[in-house]
Amino acid sequence: MNSKKCEKVMNSFFELDKGERLELHDSLHLIFCKECRTKVRVLSKAEKIVQLPLFQKSKVQDLDLSSAIKSTNPSWMENLKPVSMVRWVLSGFLMILLFMLSGIFLEKIQNPDYLIWFYVIVGAVVTAYCGAFMAINMDFFIKKIDTSSLA
């Protein structure tokens, strides 16, 4: 096909970020131009081959990393204590219960304008609590997700 068009399509392919899709007109060009399609396939396969060593986990690397961390901070692993899920759940329920009870008592005592702000603040605190829970226990949720069915 047209060499200028092929060059333009290949440049747009090289400008893409990881996982980003080609535009429709570039994809159509790849469908009809065997030369460009072959280049893209070869480049994609080469990228996968080059990345393969990065995904292989080595125990030697893990031992080197942990020994390097321990040499800089000997008490590194001693200070790490897993947080119990039961404590997270109980404290969350306790927090929500206390907010509900205080909201009920405030409803009888305070002006309704104050109640609106109270409920907004309660919502923000509960949202922050849930966000902290998810952020701290992210590996728990990742391990529970079965990614083998997605591949």
Side-chain angles (χ1 to χ4, degrees), residues 9-146:
V9 169
M10 291 308 292
N11 284 338
S12 66
F13 175 75
F14 290 133
E15 290 173 357
L16 293 175
D17 288 332
K18 183 79 176 155
E20 192 175 357
R21 294 184 182 261
L22 276 171
E23 293 184 14
L24 179 62
H25 58 85
D26 294 336
S27 297
L28 289 174
H29 175 80
L30 289 177
I31 290 172
F32 295 111
C33 180
K34 185 176 182 179
E35 193 175 313
C36 291
R37 187 173 58 240
T38 305
K39 286 181 185 178
V40 168
R41 282 185 185 157
V42 169
L43 288 170
S44 297
K45 286 183 181 181
E47 180 186 19
K48 287 179 183 177
I49 291 171
V50 168
Q51 285 181 345
L52 191 62
L54 297 175
F55 293 118
Q56 293 176 346
K57 197 169 187 179
S58 171
K59 290 185 179 183
V60 175
Q61 290 174 344
D62 289 342
L63 293 175
D64 291 342
L65 179 63
S66 62
S67 63
I69 292 173
K70 286 181 184 178
S71 68
T72 58
N73 187 4
S75 63
W76 174 64
M77 285 300 285
E78 297 168 6
N79 294 336
L80 294 178
K81 295 177 184 172
V83 179
S84 171
M85 284 293 221
V86 176
R87 288 184 182 176
W88 272 102
V89 172
L90 289 178
S91 63
F93 282 133
L94 182 65
M95 178 182 65
I96 291 173
L97 180 68
L98 290 175
F99 280 143
M100 286 175 51
L101 290 176
S102 60
I104 291 170
F105 291 124
L106 279 176
E107 187 176 30
K108 296 177 182 177
I109 299 170
Q110 292 291 332
N111 186 356
D113 293 336
Y114 292 124
L115 279 177
I116 292 172
W117 287 108
F118 173 75
Y119 289 132
V120 168
I121 291 171
V122 167
V125 169
V126 170
T127 302
Y129 177 83
C130 292
F133 175 75
M134 292 293 288
I136 291 173
N137 297 304
M138 186 63 70
D139 59 337
F140 171 77
F141 293 107
I142 290 173
K143 288 176 186 173
K144 292 292 181 182
I145 297 173
D146 184 20

